[in-house]
Amino acid sequence: MTAPLTASQLAARFTEAFGAEPDGVWMAPGRVNLIGEHTDYNEGFVLPFAIDKTARIAVRTRPDSILRLLSTYGDQGLTIADATALDKSTARGWTKYPLGVIWALQQRGITVPGMDLLLDSDVPLGAGLSSSHAIECAVISALNELTGAGLEAEEMVLATQRAENDFVGAPTGIMDQSASLRGAKDHAVFLDCRDQTVKLVPFEAHPAGLVMLVIDTKVSHSHADGGYASRRASCELGADVLGVKALRDVGVEDLQEASGLLDEETFRRVRHVVTENDRVLQTVELLASEGPRAIGPLLDASHVSMRDDFEISCRELDLAVETSRSNGAIGARMTGGGFGGAAIALTPLEAEQQVRTAVVQAFADAGYTAPDIFTVTPADGAMRLT
């Protein structure tokens, strides 16, 4: 991907495209989930962090209801819609995310004017780093200000979740939006998905002699497909059979009894969520008491659970994780919704190049598309840039 545009460059590009200066430029970051996968919609615990790759939008409101949407990448061209007649069945490409946010705000009784919008983003698409939520969070941040809606972060999280669930058609939870809207530099976001309580947990890899590598396998995934929905349905079935509101209410100590009540597949899905919640809590404790070098085994165990119990990994992700670990990473796991996307590898600085070289070679030997490998650091959440 080409270098991202600065705020002033994006504003200039907007003026060139639409014939007037924007009202402002806003940004929202993608995210990496350090640990806590598929626990969010089970009212559990997650530990993501906002990353230093962002979606940026330049926006100007219009006196009519016309929406004109354009991006700096891809070949979709200019999309024109009417804010008073949004149709989720006809929304396509990246524009379904801003249109979904507008629709969700309207469902809350907020009047959204027409607007011109130009998007630029360097969050890798389809990599499980939440490129779609970065767009949505940039848009809702802009519209919250431009409409005077006055929504709190928690309300913006729920509005973007509704956009994803009911407009885009992806049955996602609240983790990605929470990280993008509430992230902070050098911190992970410890989120209780039951009540949206957030605690910022220091997470600085570099001072500990570590780097966080992201290995984008180039296997694109989609939350709107059946794999994600079927996993969510299994979790809901498990909670129903066990007589709890959500799997958040099942402890590790309850698993033996649960194994006798659930069919084998549903039990494995439940076991992943229950043990993953426990791993999140352990990770938060270890980061506070011992620092990031202590969490490697928990990252490894999380991947095994997603691979074997939740069955959302793939050959490319497994190869990235296994190769990283055997070449010096202290912990590695797939990150994101699964069925493709990216893995993360927490790696000593002195082993970084060896891990990079080994993963690229392993993918070549297996006949897979060459992965993109890059570093990320915890960054600030959504904000206005100009």
Side-chain angles (χ1 to χ4, degrees):
M1 183 173 287
T2 58
L5 299 179
T6 65
S8 59
Q9 289 171 332
L10 185 60
R13 185 79 67 87
F14 178 97
T15 302
E16 179 182 339
F18 293 112
E21 293 184 355
D23 293 331
V25 176
W26 287 260
M27 81 85 184
R31 66 96 189 93
V32 156
N33 192 19
L34 184 60
I35 197 164
E37 223 65 75
H38 289 264
T39 49
D40 58 345
Y41 55 80
N42 290 291
E43 299 187 11
F45 304 103
V46 292
L47 191 64
F49 59 89
I51 62 174
D52 49 345
K53 293 185 180 295
T54 64
R56 298 157 300 280
I57 58 166
V59 179
R60 181 182 178 88
T61 58
R62 298 171 53 93
D64 53 27
S65 63
I66 298 301
L67 304 167
R68 297 194 296 174
L69 309 175
L70 188 64
S71 78
T72 62
Y73 60 88
D75 57 2
Q76 187 164 319
L78 182 68
T79 294
I80 299 177
D82 188 334
T84 64
L86 295 179
D87 184 352
K88 58 186 175 184
S89 66
T90 60
R92 63 190 181 92
W94 69 270
T95 64
K96 60 190 175 185
Y97 304 113
L99 294 178
V101 169
I102 293 168
W103 175 87
L105 290 175
Q106 291 171 341
Q107 302 308 300
R108 298 178 67 96
I110 298 169
T111 299
V112 180
M115 71 187 72
D116 296 331
L117 182 152
L118 178 63
L119 166 72
D120 183 56
S121 178
D122 65 336
V123 185
L125 303 178
L129 303 183
S130 204
S131 57
S132 61
H133 286 96
I135 296 170
E136 291 168 349
C137 291
V139 171
I140 202 167
S141 297
L143 294 184
N144 191 42
E145 182 175 339
L146 292 172
T147 64
L151 300 179
E152 299 293 334
E154 297 88 342
E155 296 172 300
M156 289 193 284
V157 164
L158 294 178
T160 51
Q161 183 191 25
R162 185 168 188 185
E164 280 280 324
N165 293 175
D166 298 337
F167 193 89
V168 177
T172 57
I174 63 170
M175 175 183 67
D176 297 347
Q177 307 94 318
S178 297
S180 187
L181 289 165
R182 306 176 75 178
K185 181 178 173 61
D186 296 330
H187 288 78
V189 179
F190 176 40
L191 171 67
D192 183 333
C193 295
R194 172 157 283 172
D195 61 11
Q196 287 204 65
T197 301
V198 159
K199 178 182 178 182
L200 294 175
V201 178
F203 179 63
E204 296 182 80
H206 202 270
L210 300 170
V211 63
M212 180 63 81
L213 289 175
V214 174
I215 303 163
D216 179 1
T217 66
K218 313 304 287 185
V219 179
S220 185
H221 73 163
S222 171
H223 277 171
D225 67 13
Y228 189 99
S230 70
R231 298 309 185 279
R232 185 162 184 163
S234 288
C235 293
E236 292 168 353
L237 172 63
D240 184 55
V241 171
L242 296 175
V244 294
K245 181 174 182 286
L247 293 183
R248 150 73 170 274
D249 301 309
V250 181
V252 174
E253 68 278 4
D254 300 318
L255 286 174
Q256 184 173 354
E257 180 182 356
S259 67
L261 298 173
L262 302 168
D263 67 84
E264 190 268 340
E265 180 180 275
T266 304
F267 173 70
R268 285 189 289 108
R269 306 294 189 248
V270 168
R271 182 168 59 187
H272 164 71
V273 173
V274 172
T275 57
E276 187 80 343
N277 273 324
D278 187 60
R279 283 186 287 269
V280 174
L281 298 177
Q282 289 185 59
T283 300
V284 171
E285 290 180 5
L286 284 173
L287 285 174
S289 62
E290 299 183 39
R293 279 190 172 266
I295 68 172
L298 291 168
L299 302 183
D300 294 341
S302 175
H303 184 78
V304 171
S305 182
M306 289 185 289
R307 183 192 67 199
D308 298 343
D309 277 354
F310 224 60
E311 296 182 287
I312 54 172
S313 190
C314 63
R315 292 173 299 177
E316 291 87 350
L317 284 168
D318 292 341
L319 182 61
V321 166
E322 293 158 7
T323 306
S324 298
R325 288 293 287 114
S326 61
N327 284 275
I330 66 170
R333 65 185 287 273
M334 57 149 285
T335 188
F339 311 103
I344 56 173
L346 190 58
T347 305
L349 290 169
E350 63 271 17
E352 177 184 354
Q353 191 55 53
Q354 181 176 337
V355 169
R356 286 176 176 266
T357 301
V359 170
V360 169
Q361 187 61 54
F363 270 57
D365 291 345
Y368 298 153
T369 300
D372 281 344
I373 304 176
F374 50 91
T375 62
V376 292
T377 57
D380 287 322
M383 67 178 70
R384 182 172 182 151
L385 296 177
T386 64

